[in-house]
Amino acid sequence: MISLLKNHQHYGKVFFMEQIDVQNNKKYFIKSSSSLHGIIDISKELRGIDWYNSKVKCKINYEICIHRKNYMKIKFMEIKGVIPKLSKKTYQSNLSYIEKVIDHYCEVWKSEVINEKVPLHGDFSLLGNIVFINDETPVVIDWEHFESNVSPIGFDAMYFLFELIWFEASQTNNISDDNLTHLNKMLLNLKSANCLNEMFINKPLEATRRFMSTNYKYWGSQFNKIPIMFFTKDQVDFIDNKMFL
């Protein structure tokens, strides 16, 4: 049985479907496109997955079903695990997950630290793009924005953390001191692991947003929907002034 889950989401050109094999009780996810842009996005995602798989033990398993000039179809095996959901206290309710993801980021990207630029995930988000196997081991999925060696080390982790701050603030109309204290701890962990470029040391949120604005082409039509770009200047200054790196 095959069900359509998403059709050209975020102005993309890719169909996303779910397939359930009732005989062996296995679930697969399928991405396909007959558009040149969609085929490019899928190909880019596979390059990202291949890079990621080369760094981790829990790999993303996929099969290229069809790859022609005018059509591409990929089947991914389901990764069974937990994907956190948006809640009123999104940051506070996910502290253990946040810490696991920051540790995972350092483990995966640490071999790239010697390079001036590192690979970009581009949507390193707890809410939909990270699966926790056995509620413990993170697996990062959805690599459609992948770019090789274009990002300062630490960018995806900064994106991840500041997005969570924004989501909770949007639900509660408040940026809590507890969240910012924990955020500062995570940034210090990145710094001590040599996984935080010096450009983020002063005014980290401003620097993260500036990198995105300068390199908006990596997000294409989705750039205008990126949550951390909705912070007001006062919020950016307030958050950055609470960071002590």
Side-chain angles (χ1 to χ4, degrees), residues 107-126:
E107 290 169 2
V108 173
W109 269 262
K110 65 182 178 183
S111 64
E112 306 290 334
V113 172
I114 60 173
N115 300 321
E116 184 177 348
K117 300 291 186 180
V118 301
L120 170 78
H121 179 279
D123 192 10
F124 202 71
S125 174
L126 187 70

Side-chain angles (χ1 to χ4, degrees), residues 162-179:
F162 287 127
E163 182 189 68
L164 290 169
I165 294 292
W166 185 87
F167 274 123
E168 182 161 318
S170 70
Q171 296 292 309
T172 63
N173 294 315
N174 178 53
I175 300 174
S176 80
D177 286 339
D178 287 343
N179 289 354

Side-chain angles (χ1 to χ4, degrees), residues 73 90 142 144 244:
K73 177 180 176 182
T90 295
D142 284 355
E144 65 187 44
F244 300 97

Side-chain angles (χ1 to χ4, degrees), residues 22-41:
V22 294
Q23 293 184 335
N24 60 20
N25 196 32
K26 289 186 178 181
K27 183 187 291 187
Y28 303 90
F29 296 100
I30 297 170
K31 287 189 176 183
S32 67
S33 183
S34 57
S35 158
L36 175 60
H37 290 296
I39 292 170
I40 290 173
D41 286 344

Side-chain angles (χ1 to χ4, degrees), residues 53 202 211:
N53 281 347
N202 296 313
F211 173 80

Side-chain angles (χ1 to χ4, degrees), residues 3 12 32 46 54 68 109 134 142 157 164 188 206 208 213 216 224:
S3 303
S32 67
L46 295 186
S54 73
R68 293 197 287 262
W109 269 262
N134 296 324
D142 284 355
L164 290 169
L188 288 170
E206 180 181 312
T208 302
S213 295
Y216 65 90
N224 292 326

